[in-house]
Amino acid sequence: MSERKPQVLLIGFGGVGTIVSYTLEHLGRAEVTVVSRPETYDSIKSGYRIESCSYGIIDNYIATNVVKSTKEGYEKYGPFDYIIITTKNIPEISPVVDFLEDCYHESSTIVLIENGIGIEIPIYRKYPKAIILSGVSLIGTTLYEDTVKHIARDIIKFGAFINYNLDKQMQYDRCKHFLSLYSNDNNFAEYEENVKLTRWRKLVYNTCINTTCALTDLDFGRMDLFGGMESVVRPAMKEVVAVAKSEGVEIEDHVIDEMIRGEDGVYYPPSMLIDVRNGNYIENTVIISNVVKYAKRNGVPIPTLTVLDNLLKLVQLRTGEAKGRFELPEKRPLPEENYQIQFKY
Amino acid sequence: MSERKPQVLLIGFGGVGTIVSYTLEHLGRAEVTVVSRPETYDSIKSGYRIESCSYGIIDNYIATNVVKSTKEGYEKYGPFDYIIITTKNIPEISPVVDFLEDCYHESSTIVLIENGIGIEIPIYRKYPKAIILSGVSLIGTTLYEDTVKHIARDIIKFGAFINYNLDKQMQYDRCKHFLSLYSNDNNFAEYEENVKLTRWRKLVYNTCINTTCALTDLDFGRMDLFGGMESVVRPAMKEVVAVAKSEGVEIEDHVIDEMIRGEDGVYYPPSMLIDVRNGNYIENTVIISNVVKYAKRNGVPIPTLTVLDNLLKLVQLRTGEAKGRFELPEKRPLPEENYQIQFKY
């Protein structure tokens, strides 16, 4: 009888999720149960083609199990050793903590391969004994229909969001165990004890470049050539560095210059710009609003981030209306009516 | 022999220009020569239908003269008593001062019915003896093909941008003369000696609301209902009031609340939003960049306006690229190449 392999529940099976799943399974190190939305179930169940710069061409990758809900996954294959979440993180639309409702077990370690800051807090609030790992990923991978094009190698840092209710070492060990499943010769998976540093460093980029590109409908290259790096992004980045510092995270000055230079010779649309162009929700809450929240709490002046954040909140509501999240009266309500938007979800 | 009527050269024959022309001509007070672009010449020459909330239905209004260039206008009908400009004011694309090159005569009074601040400066720089009148207009009027729909009455204030090289009283008198041609029972044309106050008051609106709506692709009503008035517009308005003050213009606090309330029950897209939606250039230089320039000169902190201004500069360049004002290399230039955009105009 063979040893039971680590069982993984994976929520989010797009470009990133597919590579995560394949990474864990292809060397026989773990078994993945993918949670699929009803409309993609058949497609995931019959397999995706993967064209990977690291793993080569995989004609048809089918995850070990595919289920239609976290509940079904838990009942059939749970409890899980790891619950990995690779979805976009949009708390006001679909809170990540809600995904855990039907599949979390105290033996499970949660792995958040997601952007942003403060993303572990709602989970710790509901599950004070949870172990949560942070995955900060730099990867280029996109799902088109049933083909995943993986064009830039998987560089990822894992660490534990420390839960102070639990033994620290145990959390470090759990993270190292996960890394032993994930790391291989074809990716660059690293252990990073200082999760806050990793996350804040990535925010220096995301909070400033993604937002500016999204608001101006310009890709990274154009925004740079048009002067936006110096006029908007650099002041914003300095503010992020100051907020990080107020949170006890020292980011060296050269990080800003490195991120601004962008040496790769492609114009490159950041994810938030792609979301806006496709009329999709953006991850503004975890990428910028939470930074603004920390800044306010710590008394750090952030004039640039404040404006970017407030503009993006308006953009998110524009998307909400377009997606039918609410309807406005045909005639504009007058101020004295104190009209309140009625959200459907 | 009848007295020679005042001769007017009109540059800009859109929604506003048509009403201005009709206003001056329909009581026989002046003769208007319209400068048309080649592509609209036939259409203007054969007349526009005007559906006006103030003047009723005019089946076919044809201006006295229509010419294809300022040069042709000057040679055939000049010199003019008044040269009225109602075009959009976009100095980086088509400087208003250039329009005067072939039609200005020292006997002419220039009338700028345009938005923004600092719009007279380039003209005074080139024509130090010029007399320039300011027209600040609140009007709802739009040209569709060859029909002008005039839906909100013409409320307009005229005053002289004082040229300190010339006698003040003479400039006031010139303005009053123009007003005597323009004012009638169907409009609300007023003499306003304090041109700076009128212009800065309008900026409190335009600099903040137009820009925020344009950047978020939201009309006035939605931007308000979504919270943008308090989060972006009000802070921006306070900054405009402070800049005005540094320029010696006192705007009372209640002006902000009046402008924010917007009592009219329509969602209303401001002109800058319409321009962005149509892929047209925006008047960001005269509406916000010049305000930023004054603020810097006078040492007024304007964190909100700075970000809005810098974002809109990027938007303007995006439009420029789309309109073929420049082309970027297919491969993004690397930072060390120090690539400079080559503008075609």
Side-chain angles (χ1 to χ4, degrees):
Chain A
M1 209 178 90
S2 72
E3 199 191 350
R4 177 186 175 272
K5 288 183 187 167
Q7 295 296 307
V8 172
L9 185 74
L10 176 63
I11 304 172
F13 202 69
V16 173
T18 306
I19 298 300
V20 166
S21 187
Y22 182 78
T23 301
L24 290 166
E25 290 206 311
H26 80 293
L27 299 173
R29 293 180 183 163
E31 281 178 6
V32 174
T33 298
V34 172
V35 182
S36 166
R37 282 172 290 135
E39 59 270 32
T40 52
Y41 179 81
D42 289 339
S43 172
I44 295 177
K45 190 82 183 165
S46 56
Y48 283 170
R49 176 181 169 85
I50 299 176
E51 300 173 3
S52 167
C53 58
S54 306
Y55 299 106
I57 305 286
I58 297 100
D59 272 330
N60 198 39
Y61 167 61
I62 307 179
T64 302
N65 305 308
V66 187
V67 294
K68 287 183 178 161
S69 68
T70 52
K71 191 165 194 285
E72 181 193 345
Y74 187 81
E75 284 168 359
K76 286 190 181 164
Y77 310 107
F80 295 96
D81 301 292
Y82 295 99
I83 299 172
I84 307 178
I85 302 175
T86 67
T87 58
K88 283 204 291 181
N89 193 319
I90 303 169
E92 68 275 29
I93 305 295
S94 50
V96 164
V97 65
D98 291 358
F99 300 161
L100 299 170
E101 184 75 35
D102 296 323
C103 62
Y104 178 70
H105 182 275
E106 59 184 16
S107 68
S108 303
T109 295
I110 298 156
V111 186
L112 301 179
I113 304 181
E114 297 188 307
N115 284 321
I117 202 84
I119 61 175
E120 76 283 17
I121 311 269
I123 301 175
Y124 280 141
R125 213 168 271 154
K126 186 155 174 197
Y127 306 103
K129 293 279 176 77
I131 300 175
I132 311 178
L133 306 184
S134 155
V136 175
S137 164
L138 277 177
I139 186 174
T141 174
T142 311
L143 170 64
Y144 302 91
E145 304 260 328
D146 50 9
T147 298
V148 169
K149 299 200 179 185
H150 174 206
I151 58 162
R153 59 190 191 175
D154 186 12
I155 304 171
I156 188 160
K157 291 185 178 182
F158 291 103
F161 286 112
I162 293 302
N163 182 339
Y164 292 95
N165 298 323
L166 304 175
D167 177 61
K168 249 189 188 176
Q169 193 56 49
M170 181 266 285
Q171 298 175 68
Y172 295 150
D173 292 346
R174 196 71 69 93
C175 185
K176 284 172 188 162
H177 176 254
F178 183 77
L179 191 69
S180 74
L181 304 177
Y182 196 91
S183 175
N184 63 47
D185 292 347
N186 294 309
N187 63 21
F188 297 80
E190 282 185 327
Y191 177 70
E192 168 63 85
E193 205 156 284
N194 195 340
V195 166
K196 281 178 94 174
L197 175 64
T198 327
R199 294 217 155 251
W200 278 101
R201 269 184 72 114
K202 192 162 181 201
L203 283 181
V204 174
Y205 187 102
N206 283 342
T207 306
C208 308
I209 290 178
N210 283 21
T211 54
T212 303
C213 289
L215 283 167
T216 56
D217 192 12
L218 290 172
D219 55 49
F220 181 101
R222 287 181 164 75
M223 192 266 289
D224 181 18
L225 292 173
F226 294 178
M229 286 298 178
E230 293 307 318
S231 69
V232 183
V233 169
R234 187 185 291 274
M237 282 183 169
K238 285 184 179 169
E239 292 171 17
V240 174
V241 168
V243 181
K245 193 170 180 179
S246 77
E247 287 285 304
V249 176
E250 286 285 345
I251 296 172
E252 292 172 349
D253 282 345
H254 63 82
V255 170
I256 289 182
D257 282 305
E258 282 162 27
M259 288 185 175
I260 280 183
R261 285 183 62 79
E263 301 278 3
D264 52 7
V266 293
Y267 286 98
Y268 181 63
S271 58
M272 192 183 277
L273 172 61
I274 295 175
D275 286 335
V276 169
R277 285 183 175 167
N278 292 338
N280 286 330
Y281 289 118
I282 53 177
E283 299 186 291
N284 61 316
T285 300
V286 297
I287 282 181
I288 183 164
S289 300
N290 284 353
V291 177
V292 168
K293 205 185 282 179
Y294 289 129
K296 283 189 180 152
R297 190 179 67 190
N298 302 344
V300 181
I302 44 156
T304 312
L305 297 179
T306 301
V307 180
L308 297 176
D309 180 42
N310 286 324
L311 290 173
L312 287 168
K313 282 179 178 158
L314 298 173
V315 170
Q316 189 80 322
L317 284 163
R318 181 187 81 206
T319 304
E321 187 187 6
K323 282 186 178 288
R325 194 175 168 220
F326 57 88
E327 275 160 36
L328 296 180
E330 202 165 316
K331 196 174 145 60
R332 179 179 163 222
L334 294 179
E336 54 268 28
E337 295 173 40
N338 285 317
Y339 177 82
Q340 296 295 321
I341 294 175
Q342 301 298 316
F343 294 100
K344 294 177 188 168
Y345 59 91
Chain B
M1 209 177 88
S2 72
E3 200 190 350
R4 176 185 175 274
K5 287 182 187 168
Q7 294 296 307
V8 173
L9 186 72
L10 177 63
I11 303 172
F13 201 70
V16 173
T18 305
I19 297 301
V20 166
S21 186
Y22 182 79
T23 301
L24 290 166
E25 290 207 310
H26 80 293
L27 299 173
R29 292 181 184 164
E31 280 177 6
V32 175
T33 297
V34 172
V35 182
S36 166
R37 282 172 291 134
E39 59 270 31
T40 53
Y41 180 81
D42 289 340
S43 172
I44 296 178
K45 190 82 183 164
S46 56
Y48 283 170
R49 177 180 169 84
I50 299 175
E51 300 173 4
S52 167
C53 59
S54 306
Y55 299 106
I57 304 288
I58 298 99
D59 271 331
N60 198 39
Y61 167 61
I62 307 179
T64 301
N65 306 308
V66 187
V67 293
K68 286 181 179 162
S69 68
T70 52
K71 191 165 193 285
E72 181 192 345
Y74 186 81
E75 284 168 359
K76 285 192 181 161
Y77 310 107
F80 295 97
D81 300 291
Y82 295 98
I83 299 172
I84 306 179
I85 302 175
T86 67
T87 59
K88 282 204 291 181
N89 193 320
I90 303 168
E92 69 275 28
I93 305 295
S94 50
V96 164
V97 66
D98 291 357
F99 300 162
L100 299 170
E101 184 75 35
D102 295 323
C103 62
Y104 178 70
H105 182 275
E106 59 183 18
S107 68
S108 303
T109 295
I110 298 156
V111 187
L112 301 179
I113 303 181
E114 298 188 308
N115 283 322
I117 201 85
I119 61 175
E120 76 285 15
I121 311 270
I123 301 176
Y124 280 140
R125 213 168 271 154
K126 186 157 176 196
Y127 306 103
K129 294 279 175 77
I131 300 175
I132 310 178
L133 306 184
S134 155
V136 174
S137 164
L138 276 178
I139 186 173
T141 173
T142 310
L143 170 64
Y144 302 91
E145 303 261 326
D146 50 10
T147 298
V148 170
K149 298 199 179 185
H150 174 205
I151 57 162
R153 59 190 191 177
D154 186 11
I155 305 171
I156 189 162
K157 292 186 177 182
F158 291 104
F161 285 112
I162 293 304
N163 182 340
Y164 292 96
N165 299 322
L166 303 175
D167 178 62
K168 251 189 189 178
Q169 192 56 49
M170 181 267 284
Q171 298 174 68
Y172 294 150
D173 292 346
R174 197 70 69 92
C175 185
K176 284 172 187 160
H177 176 255
F178 182 78
L179 191 69
S180 74
L181 304 177
Y182 196 92
S183 176
N184 63 47
D185 291 346
N186 294 310
N187 64 21
F188 296 80
E190 281 185 330
Y191 177 70
E192 167 63 85
E193 205 157 285
N194 195 340
V195 165
K196 281 178 92 175
L197 176 64
T198 328
R199 293 215 156 251
W200 279 101
R201 269 184 73 115
K202 192 163 181 200
L203 282 181
V204 174
Y205 187 102
N206 282 342
T207 305
C208 309
I209 290 178
N210 284 20
T211 54
T212 303
C213 288
L215 282 167
T216 55
D217 191 13
L218 290 172
D219 56 49
F220 181 100
R222 286 181 165 76
M223 193 266 288
D224 180 18
L225 292 173
F226 293 178
M229 286 297 179
E230 293 307 318
S231 70
V232 182
V233 170
R234 186 186 292 274
M237 284 183 167
K238 285 184 178 170
E239 293 172 17
V240 174
V241 169
V243 182
K245 192 170 183 180
S246 77
E247 287 284 305
V249 176
E250 287 286 345
I251 297 172
E252 291 172 349
D253 281 345
H254 63 83
V255 170
I256 289 182
D257 281 306
E258 282 163 25
M259 288 185 176
I260 280 182
R261 285 181 62 80
E263 301 277 4
D264 52 7
V266 293
Y267 285 98
Y268 181 63
S271 58
M272 191 181 278
L273 173 60
I274 294 175
D275 286 334
V276 168
R277 284 183 176 168
N278 292 339
N280 287 330
Y281 289 117
I282 53 176
E283 300 185 291
N284 60 316
T285 300
V286 298
I287 283 181
I288 182 164
S289 299
N290 285 352
V291 177
V292 168
K293 206 185 282 179
Y294 289 128
K296 282 188 180 155
R297 192 177 66 190
N298 302 344
V300 182
I302 45 156
T304 311
L305 298 179
T306 300
V307 180
L308 296 176
D309 181 43
N310 287 324
L311 291 173
L312 288 169
K313 283 179 176 157
L314 298 174
V315 170
Q316 189 80 322
L317 284 164
R318 181 186 82 206
T319 304
E321 187 187 6
K323 282 186 180 287
R325 193 175 169 222
F326 58 88
E327 275 160 35
L328 296 180
E330 200 164 319
K331 197 173 143 59
R332 178 180 164 222
L334 293 179
E336 55 269 28
E337 296 174 38
N338 286 316
Y339 177 82
Q340 297 294 323
I341 295 175
Q342 301 299 316
F343 293 100
K344 296 178 186 167
Y345 59 91

